[in-house]
Amino acid sequence: ALGRLGYRDCAWNPDVWQKWGNALKKANQQVEGLRFNNISESTKAWIRSSLQGFVRDTRHCDSASDFPLGHDQVDLRVKTIIWPRAKYIWLNRSEDAWLDSHWRWEHRTNKSFKPDDPGLASQRKANAERDRQRKAAALAQILELQAIAPQSVLIMAVEDGWTPLLRFLFDPSGGCASPGAWPHKIPHGVDA
């Protein structure tokens, strides 16, 4: 949806992730267990300094809706430090569809992968439980951020369509025109 509005997404880039993965993990560790409003100025300064090259390497994009930036590989608290004016959108969607999509994505390079293989049922169940825990932790963070900075967070469902998104990003009065039908397919052909 953001691409339809002219945003340039910071899609998965293995070079950037390889180059900055360790620094991002260290930054995540610096804020682990802290609330947004309890991060010291010295920690924020350390994170900004440590990740200034990462910010430079991602300046070509103005949205991050997919792995690794849009998900939990970069802690939301770290994102608010390196991109203090950013806005965050939590898109609620069918959990079953999301779990199935992630299961398939994790195995995207395996040509012989059969997503419904009964021999993988226990692995799939474990992955689903892990993903549910990650989702719960990410949702807790977005709700905490919304409580202290409501202007920077939108929580919506696909069924809500364009109106809340356009109001949040551009025009709180609702004067923006919709760019057409809501996109129900994302580039890899997975239902949005």
Side-chain angles (χ1 to χ4, degrees), residues 1 89-93 146 153-166 168 182:
I89 302 162
W90 179 275
L91 185 62
N92 281 320
R93 61 184 280 204
Q146 184 183 45
V153 175
L154 170 66
I155 298 174
M156 64 175 284
V158 171
E159 297 79 22
D160 297 337
W162 289 106
T163 302
L165 183 62
L166 293 173
F168 178 67
W182 184 267

Short mmCIF file of all heavy atoms in Angstrom, two decimals, residues 1 89-93 146 153-166 168 182:
data_model
loop_
_atom_site.label_atom_id
_atom_site.label_comp_id
_atom_site.label_asym_id
_atom_site.label_seq_id
_atom_site.Cartn_x
_atom_site.Cartn_y
_atom_site.Cartn_z
N ALA A 1 0.83 -1.19 0.00
CA ALA A 1 0.00 0.00 0.00
C ALA A 1 0.87 1.26 0.00
O ALA A 1 0.58 2.22 -0.70
CB ALA A 1 -0.94 -0.01 1.20
N ILE A 89 3.04 1.96 11.49
CA ILE A 89 1.72 1.42 11.15
C ILE A 89 1.72 -0.05 11.50
O ILE A 89 2.55 -0.82 11.03
CB ILE A 89 1.44 1.61 9.65
CG1 ILE A 89 1.51 3.09 9.28
CG2 ILE A 89 0.09 1.00 9.28
CD1 ILE A 89 1.66 3.36 7.80
N TRP A 90 0.78 -0.44 12.35
CA TRP A 90 0.57 -1.85 12.68
C TRP A 90 -0.64 -2.29 11.88
O TRP A 90 -1.74 -1.78 12.07
CB TRP A 90 0.31 -2.01 14.18
CG TRP A 90 0.08 -3.43 14.57
CD1 TRP A 90 -1.11 -4.11 14.52
CD2 TRP A 90 1.04 -4.36 15.05
NE1 TRP A 90 -0.94 -5.40 14.93
CE2 TRP A 90 0.37 -5.58 15.27
CE3 TRP A 90 2.40 -4.28 15.32
CZ2 TRP A 90 1.02 -6.70 15.76
CZ3 TRP A 90 3.04 -5.41 15.80
CH2 TRP A 90 2.35 -6.60 16.02
N LEU A 91 -0.43 -3.23 10.98
CA LEU A 91 -1.51 -3.72 10.13
C LEU A 91 -1.97 -5.06 10.66
O LEU A 91 -1.24 -6.06 10.58
CB LEU A 91 -1.01 -3.84 8.68
CG LEU A 91 -2.05 -4.24 7.65
CD1 LEU A 91 -3.16 -3.19 7.56
CD2 LEU A 91 -1.39 -4.42 6.29
N ASN A 92 -3.17 -5.08 11.21
CA ASN A 92 -3.75 -6.34 11.67
C ASN A 92 -4.26 -7.11 10.46
O ASN A 92 -4.89 -6.55 9.57
CB ASN A 92 -4.93 -6.08 12.62
CG ASN A 92 -4.48 -5.73 14.00
OD1 ASN A 92 -3.54 -6.32 14.52
ND2 ASN A 92 -5.12 -4.75 14.61
N ARG A 93 -3.95 -8.36 10.44
CA ARG A 93 -4.44 -9.24 9.39
C ARG A 93 -4.71 -10.60 10.00
O ARG A 93 -4.33 -10.87 11.14
CB ARG A 93 -3.46 -9.33 8.23
CG ARG A 93 -2.10 -9.88 8.60
CD ARG A 93 -1.14 -9.87 7.44
NE ARG A 93 -1.39 -10.99 6.56
CZ ARG A 93 -0.47 -11.51 5.75
NH1 ARG A 93 0.72 -10.99 5.68
NH2 ARG A 93 -0.74 -12.53 4.99
N GLN A 146 2.39 3.87 21.25
CA GLN A 146 1.14 4.59 20.99
C GLN A 146 0.68 5.34 22.24
O GLN A 146 0.17 6.46 22.14
CB GLN A 146 0.06 3.62 20.51
CG GLN A 146 -1.23 4.30 20.12
CD GLN A 146 -2.30 3.32 19.72
OE1 GLN A 146 -2.50 2.31 20.39
NE2 GLN A 146 -2.96 3.59 18.60
N VAL A 153 1.70 6.52 15.78
CA VAL A 153 1.29 5.13 15.63
C VAL A 153 -0.13 5.04 15.07
O VAL A 153 -1.04 5.73 15.55
CB VAL A 153 1.34 4.38 16.98
CG1 VAL A 153 0.80 2.96 16.83
CG2 VAL A 153 2.76 4.35 17.52
N LEU A 154 -0.28 4.21 14.06
CA LEU A 154 -1.60 3.86 13.54
C LEU A 154 -1.75 2.35 13.63
O LEU A 154 -0.87 1.61 13.18
CB LEU A 154 -1.75 4.30 12.07
CG LEU A 154 -2.99 3.79 11.33
CD1 LEU A 154 -4.26 4.40 11.93
CD2 LEU A 154 -2.90 4.08 9.84
N ILE A 155 -2.83 1.91 14.21
CA ILE A 155 -3.17 0.49 14.23
C ILE A 155 -4.43 0.35 13.39
O ILE A 155 -5.44 1.00 13.67
CB ILE A 155 -3.38 -0.03 15.67
CG1 ILE A 155 -2.07 0.12 16.46
CG2 ILE A 155 -3.85 -1.48 15.65
CD1 ILE A 155 -2.17 -0.21 17.93
N MET A 156 -4.35 -0.48 12.37
CA MET A 156 -5.48 -0.62 11.45
C MET A 156 -5.55 -2.04 10.92
O MET A 156 -4.62 -2.82 11.10
CB MET A 156 -5.38 0.38 10.29
CG MET A 156 -4.19 0.17 9.38
SD MET A 156 -4.17 1.27 7.93
CE MET A 156 -5.41 0.51 6.88
N ALA A 157 -6.64 -2.34 10.26
CA ALA A 157 -6.84 -3.63 9.61
C ALA A 157 -6.92 -3.40 8.10
O ALA A 157 -7.28 -2.30 7.66
CB ALA A 157 -8.12 -4.30 10.11
N VAL A 158 -6.60 -4.41 7.33
CA VAL A 158 -6.70 -4.32 5.87
C VAL A 158 -8.10 -3.88 5.48
O VAL A 158 -8.28 -3.04 4.58
CB VAL A 158 -6.35 -5.69 5.24
CG1 VAL A 158 -6.65 -5.69 3.76
CG2 VAL A 158 -4.90 -6.05 5.50
N GLU A 159 -9.10 -4.39 6.19
CA GLU A 159 -10.49 -4.07 5.87
C GLU A 159 -10.82 -2.59 6.05
O GLU A 159 -11.81 -2.10 5.51
CB GLU A 159 -11.45 -4.90 6.75
CG GLU A 159 -11.35 -6.40 6.55
CD GLU A 159 -10.14 -7.02 7.28
OE1 GLU A 159 -9.62 -6.43 8.24
OE2 GLU A 159 -9.70 -8.10 6.84
N ASP A 160 -10.00 -1.86 6.78
CA ASP A 160 -10.24 -0.43 6.99
C ASP A 160 -10.01 0.38 5.71
O ASP A 160 -10.48 1.52 5.61
CB ASP A 160 -9.32 0.12 8.09
CG ASP A 160 -9.58 -0.51 9.44
OD1 ASP A 160 -10.69 -1.04 9.67
OD2 ASP A 160 -8.65 -0.48 10.28
N GLY A 161 -9.28 -0.17 4.75
CA GLY A 161 -9.04 0.52 3.50
C GLY A 161 -8.10 1.71 3.64
O GLY A 161 -7.31 1.79 4.58
N TRP A 162 -8.19 2.62 2.70
CA TRP A 162 -7.26 3.74 2.59
C TRP A 162 -7.48 4.85 3.61
O TRP A 162 -6.53 5.55 3.99
CB TRP A 162 -7.35 4.35 1.20
CG TRP A 162 -6.76 3.50 0.13
CD1 TRP A 162 -7.46 2.78 -0.80
CD2 TRP A 162 -5.39 3.27 -0.13
NE1 TRP A 162 -6.58 2.11 -1.63
CE2 TRP A 162 -5.29 2.40 -1.23
CE3 TRP A 162 -4.20 3.71 0.47
CZ2 TRP A 162 -4.09 1.98 -1.76
CZ3 TRP A 162 -3.00 3.30 -0.06
CH2 TRP A 162 -2.95 2.43 -1.16
N THR A 163 -8.71 5.09 4.03
CA THR A 163 -9.02 6.29 4.80
C THR A 163 -8.14 6.49 6.03
O THR A 163 -7.53 7.54 6.18
CB THR A 163 -10.52 6.33 5.16
OG1 THR A 163 -11.26 6.30 3.93
CG2 THR A 163 -10.87 7.58 5.94
N PRO A 164 -8.02 5.52 6.95
CA PRO A 164 -7.18 5.78 8.13
C PRO A 164 -5.71 5.98 7.78
O PRO A 164 -5.02 6.80 8.40
CB PRO A 164 -7.39 4.56 9.02
CG PRO A 164 -7.99 3.51 8.16
CD PRO A 164 -8.67 4.21 7.02
N LEU A 165 -5.24 5.28 6.77
CA LEU A 165 -3.84 5.41 6.36
C LEU A 165 -3.56 6.79 5.78
O LEU A 165 -2.59 7.45 6.15
CB LEU A 165 -3.49 4.32 5.34
CG LEU A 165 -2.05 4.26 4.87
CD1 LEU A 165 -1.10 3.96 6.04
CD2 LEU A 165 -1.90 3.19 3.79
N LEU A 166 -4.44 7.26 4.90
CA LEU A 166 -4.26 8.58 4.30
C LEU A 166 -4.35 9.69 5.35
O LEU A 166 -3.57 10.64 5.33
CB LEU A 166 -5.29 8.81 3.20
CG LEU A 166 -5.14 7.91 1.97
CD1 LEU A 166 -6.31 8.10 1.02
CD2 LEU A 166 -3.82 8.16 1.27
N PHE A 168 -3.65 9.40 8.54
CA PHE A 168 -2.47 9.29 9.40
C PHE A 168 -1.22 9.87 8.73
O PHE A 168 -0.45 10.60 9.35
CB PHE A 168 -2.25 7.82 9.76
CG PHE A 168 -1.05 7.54 10.61
CD1 PHE A 168 -0.97 7.99 11.91
CD2 PHE A 168 0.01 6.80 10.10
CE1 PHE A 168 0.13 7.72 12.71
CE2 PHE A 168 1.12 6.53 10.89
CZ PHE A 168 1.18 6.98 12.19
N TRP A 182 -7.61 -1.04 -2.76
CA TRP A 182 -6.56 -1.49 -1.84
C TRP A 182 -5.83 -2.66 -2.47
O TRP A 182 -6.46 -3.59 -2.98
CB TRP A 182 -7.19 -1.90 -0.51
CG TRP A 182 -6.18 -2.27 0.52
CD1 TRP A 182 -5.70 -3.51 0.78
CD2 TRP A 182 -5.50 -1.39 1.42
NE1 TRP A 182 -4.76 -3.47 1.78
CE2 TRP A 182 -4.62 -2.17 2.20
CE3 TRP A 182 -5.54 -0.01 1.65
CZ2 TRP A 182 -3.81 -1.64 3.18
CZ3 TRP A 182 -4.74 0.51 2.64
CH2 TRP A 182 -3.87 -0.30 3.40
#
